Amino acid sequence: MIVMFELNGKSVSARVVHPTSLLAMLRDELRLPGSKNACEEGECGSCSVILDGDLVCSCLVMAADVERSVVTTVEGVGDDGKLHPVQQAMLDSGGVQCGFCTPGIVMTAVDLFDRVESPSPDDIREALAGNICRCTGYGAILRGLEAL
Amino acid sequence: MTAPPSTTLTDHVTGTVNGIGESTVRPDGIPKLQGSFAYASDLETEGMLWAATVRSPHPHARIVDIDPGPALAIGGVHAVLTAEDVPGRLLFGLEHPDQPVLASDVVRYWGEPVAIVAAEDPETARIAAAAVTVEYVVLDPLVDPEEADTRDEVFRRIRIRRGDQDVRGSVVVEGVYEVGMQDQAPLGTEAGLAIPDGEGGVDLYATTQYVHADHSQIVASLDLTAEMVRSHPTGIGGAFGAREDVNLHIHLCMLALYTRRPVKQVYQRSESFTGHVHRHPARLRYRHEADEDGRLVRVEADVLIDGGAYASTTSAVLGNACYFAVGPYKCDNVNVDGVGVRTNNPPCGAMRGFGAVQVCFAHEAQMDRLAAALDMDPLELRRRNALATGDALATTGQRIDTPLPTREVIDSLVAMPMPEDDDSEDPLRLPGGTGLTTERRDVRRGVGYAFGIKNLGFSEGSDDYAQARVLLSPQGAIVETAAIEVGQGLVTVVGQIARSALGIGNVEVRHIDTSRIGSAGSTSASRQTQLTGGAVLAAATALRDRVLTEFAGEYLDDDGVWRDGELVVPYAELASGGWEETTTFRHPPTEEPDENGQGTLHADFAVAGHRAIVDVDVGLGLVRVVRIDTAQDVGKALNPESVRGQIEGGILQGVGLAMMEELIVEGGVIRNPTFTDYLLPTVLDAPDVEALLIEQEGSWGPHGAKGVGEPPTISSTAAVAAAIREATGLALPRVPIRPEHVALEGGV
Amino acid sequence: MDFVVATDLEEALDALGRGALPLAGGTDLMVGVNAGQRPDNVVALRRVRELRQRNGQRIGAGVTWRVIEDEGPRALAQAARTVGSPQIRNAGTLGGNVGTASPAGDGLPFLAAVDAEIELTSREGVRTLRWDEFFTGVKETARRTDELITAVVLPAALPGRQEFAKIGVRNAMVIATVACVVTRADDGTTTVALGSVAPTPIRIPEAEELAKTLSDPGSAALDEFQHLVAAGVRPITDHRSTEEYRRHGAGVLARRLLTRCLREGAA
């Protein structure tokens, strides 16, 4: 079947031949590898995207279920290739090491700062609770986002 | 050794230098933040097939028959290969080739690869792998490491006898300790793309920490000449030791050469847990003897680590465990017996800390027990025994001739301010978190200290070196290396080293393949800043000196060569001159141990200490690690923010081992190979970290830098355990410490 | 692959009648798909407006944990805050939690504690089952495959005091080792419900009887209460915890929650 939806501000369609995840469709069919596949169980947040206004794990969304939906991935963050403020903050604070968790953390932070004007340090921590980072110990990520 | 370049050079450069000592931002930071950085799992090319692996469902079995027929009958399946199809050496291994590329007659661990398939798409490959029919006769697995020791199923035994074996101390403490099997769990799983070159050779882009070691093993198993295989660095999503060994590398090359098509594979998480080696679980029996003043008189240790089914780096891990069995303390009489056993458990190998983690957990518990037996402050006990430059390492007798500020680490850690008592009822400040299990009145606070020591670089007579090239191109200076960037920041720091040495701000670091440069060695053993950094410093310095000599210049910058305040050679002219310098850097030689385990086995050491502050809900056994303070011997911090990142990340892996991270293996089978059940610390489990960098230059690393990656992971686990012991009064001889160990008294 | 994106209840029920597997938030079903399961007939429920409605004590099955965290009754909202991660709470639904019927389902102890009913709808009509009629075993329920869980119906009056707690090995994204809800009404009626300690959520009637007689949060009889709870659960040992710890934790948690209810009552 063909799934049509809005992806990063553009209408797109993709072929789905068997039950598969939005993550697999983004990566394999739509050639957007920014959303990362690290657990496929919703336990790491590396594949986080914004689906119809909600931050979700794209590995747990059935691809066919995004018909007529609006999806934003890390590739759709920032204007004209310029860094979004949360991206700049993480760059400046040293919040990126291997970077595999980074797109998911960017999406979580973008969602948080869209919903909450001045999130407290605890707001930031609770918002990031679904994003595993194996490299940084989270310190530099928190310092970056708390500075915003 | 090359002298450090004069610092005045950088003063001439306009704008930001981004040289050593600055917290330069990562050059790969922007693509990583934008999702455009290409990891191995993101690679693709025209006409690409997908691979999948057929794995043993048994930890020990004889293979009677493998029938690829049902898989080959599926449309879109291009190949099913087995051990018979390995063109060259069947066995691979980082130190000892003993592991079959594909099991031929016997499988020796759960998940061992038996066959590989290539198909048009990942779905077909997965179905085809499931369709390969393998007939097994199940055999009894050997899963008890003690039994393996008794049966002499061993990879290595180490016997250390130093000093007078008859000396006895008046105060004696004994203990038996256990460390569970931790996994590196890098977020990126194993992935790779092999592309046949059409002339019988192959190019491989795969997750790795050590591209030249992969290359030599691939060449041997494919029976090709070295030139026919090119192993390329690519984007890596973390490593922590999991990527030193070959896993999918030879498989992908075999399939690519067989099908004459590019072949890609990405392990799923559950496959990743069987597809790489783990941290060795350990059983450690200790006896410490001291005099009335608390001076260590004798230390005796039995170290047993389970290497699992194949050798991997068990021999070297066992070496580290034995050589650092006493910790950063002096002792003249030492008796260590170590064994790394062979079982049908999952193979174990490198993980951050590499043997030093396991013994640190034990020797630090022993030091606290000894202090209690002496009725002495445990920190005072450590001060009295602190190992310093000029002392002999307790185990090997090696005279330590690089800076080793153990005493400074202890004193500065103790002097760091303590957090105030917390009376908050906010669940985020309490054990159990938003689970709302715990109120402040259920909590006891504990404080624990631990200190650890480890070697930097390869040891025991390894010819440890790194090659790097620096060249001047029209785009700026370029550093070329085959050293692998796994996230740690090598790409940043070697650029800084080159900038400071050359005086040129425009420096790009390129990771190039095995055919274009010599080995940089492994991204492990905390070695790359020292080894590849050393090679880059030497190459850049030599290149600058040659340029300045040639043009009688005073200094070099992005504009070109300067003399008497005038630009004498514009950079563009310089860049067309083919200027380049390739340097191989070696650390001071080491030797193999003698029959008593004695000798100059190590090139350098680093010491670190951790103070853990924990809140324990004793009734439920839940723990919140409130804060970890650390002082770490870093030599010279070339990029302080990067160093801090290594420290914070390494500490959280140590906290993970202390509190939750363990692969549960029953009868050789991993029961929790998922992120649902192999728990990694989340941000809500992460303590605040305060870090103090102890800089004492004099090491052979560039500008006196020492490797910083492993020390944060070594004593943080032990410090958390000590803090929980202090809060509860329990012995807690095993990590991870689970709620039941605390809540049910004597629960271990 | 048959895939229906249902936009109203009729479409959803029709699809179920044709054997479709219901897909709500995907947080359970997709884990199986990612592991290689390939359901050939699926109906997506995300857009079925009827399922996302809340009317008084009737909570639509498609209401997400995120909404319950903000707007649900106290102990259910407390439970919601511990469900997975923010991403999971944005997708996962109460109905999905009920339908999966994991022994560790975070929402289930609350439903047991307040004697909630599960509303099942098919083309044949609507029936409601009490929670203890609905949950029949580990991941087993009384739902027929043509039935859709359309709502959870809470009693008209909820107890004035209700407390939830959950033990896990880490502080987010964790499967409960033990979860517990204790409720207390003004007349002293107390309920004690637990999860992860039996094949289904369970109540501990003996402990509830004893608790009814207690009013002092410092009462010595709390020891007996804790003991009754620990004795009343039926936990197992697995790779996540041990039977002994789960039993212990159940007693301690229930005692703490009862104490909270009593303290609050006394204040």
Side-chain angles (χ1 to χ4, degrees), chain B residues 146 156 229 261 270 339 344 378 471 502 518 568 574 632 663 746:
Chain B
E146 313 250 356
R156 186 183 188 186
V229 177
R261 299 263 295 266
S270 55
V339 60
N344 295 111
L471 53 102
L502 293 168
V568 291
L574 202 57
Q632 183 170 326
L663 284 175

Side-chain angles (χ1 to χ4, degrees), chain B residues 189-514:
Chain B
T189 60
E190 290 72 10
L193 172 65
I195 305 175
D197 64 9
E199 297 168 6
V202 64
D203 288 88
L204 178 69
Y205 304 79
T207 45
T208 180
Q209 290 172 236
Y210 192 172
V211 78
H212 278 82
D214 296 345
H215 178 261
S216 58
Q217 293 173 84
I218 295 165
V219 163
S221 289
L222 296 184
D223 196 22
L224 297 177
T225 63
E227 295 71 33
M228 294 174 81
V229 177
R230 290 151 304 270
S231 219
H232 298 256
T234 181
I236 314 281
F240 319 114
R243 308 200 199 282
E244 268 204 315
D245 297 81
V246 159
N247 36 64
L248 46 61
H249 307 76
I250 301 170
H251 297 167
L252 290 177
C253 292
M254 282 172 62
L255 288 168
L257 291 174
Y258 180 87
T259 61
R260 302 173 187 220
R261 299 263 295 266
V263 180
K264 175 175 176 172
Q265 184 169 19
V266 182
Y267 284 180
Q268 285 198 310
R269 178 59 56 186
S270 55
E271 186 171 21
S272 174
F273 274 113
T274 60
H276 63 248
V277 297
H278 317 289
R279 189 191 294 292
H280 290 79
R283 192 227 57 191
L284 308 142
R285 192 193 64 73
Y286 268 77
R287 180 183 170 95
H288 276 59
E289 303 187 23
D291 65 17
E292 297 293 338
D293 296 328
R295 287 191 176 77
L296 288 178
V297 172
R298 182 166 190 275
V299 175
E300 190 181 306
D302 285 342
V303 175
L304 169 66
I305 64 171
D306 184 355
Y310 295 106
S312 180
T313 47
T314 291
S315 293
V317 171
L318 180 71
N320 265 18
C322 292
Y323 305 137
F324 300 104
V326 178
Y329 308 113
K330 290 181 285 197
C331 181
D332 290 335
N333 307 297
V334 172
N335 176 322
V336 178
D337 285 305
V339 60
V341 298
R342 183 200 334 259
T343 63
N344 295 111
N345 288 320
C348 291
M351 182 174 175
R352 198 175 196 170
F354 203 77
V357 169
Q358 292 91 327
V359 290
C360 183
F361 172 66
H363 67 63
E364 288 305 274
Q366 282 289 101
M367 292 300 277
D368 285 343
R369 278 190 193 185
L370 185 59
L374 286 156
D375 197 19
M376 181 183 283
D377 173 11
L379 293 161
E380 179 56 27
L381 174 68
R382 288 171 169 93
R383 278 193 200 95
R384 286 190 188 180
N385 292 286
L387 188 69
T389 308
D391 290 337
L393 190 66
T395 47
T396 64
Q398 176 177 349
R399 198 63 52 187
I400 292 172
D401 59 5
T402 52
L404 191 75
T406 309
R407 180 66 193 244
E408 291 80 351
V409 163
I410 296 171
D411 288 341
S412 41
L413 181 59
V414 173
M416 290 175 79
M418 287 285 288
E420 288 177 15
D421 283 350
D422 195 341
D423 57 4
S424 168
E425 291 291 349
D426 181 340
L428 295 185
R429 302 270 170 291
L430 287 162
T434 56
L436 303 175
T437 52
T438 307
E439 294 171 72
R440 186 59 56 183
R441 61 182 186 160
D442 303 317
V443 167
R444 276 190 237 156
R445 177 155 287 193
V447 179
Y449 288 86
F451 300 86
I453 182 172
K454 191 190 172 289
N455 56 327
L456 306 171
F458 290 163
S459 300
E460 297 193 63
S462 300
D463 179 21
D464 192 13
Y465 65 91
Q467 190 172 92
R469 183 177 300 129
V470 178
L471 53 102
L472 302 180
S473 84
Q475 293 80 41
I478 292 170
V479 174
E480 292 185 336
T481 172
I484 298 298
E485 168 64 50
V486 295
Q488 81 278 31
L490 180 82
V491 66
T492 318
V493 77
V494 298
Q496 292 176 258
I497 290 168
R499 284 186 199 95
S500 285
L502 293 168
I504 292 174
N506 184 12
V507 173
E508 184 191 345
V509 178
R510 291 186 184 163
H511 300 277
I512 59 174
D513 74 80
T514 47

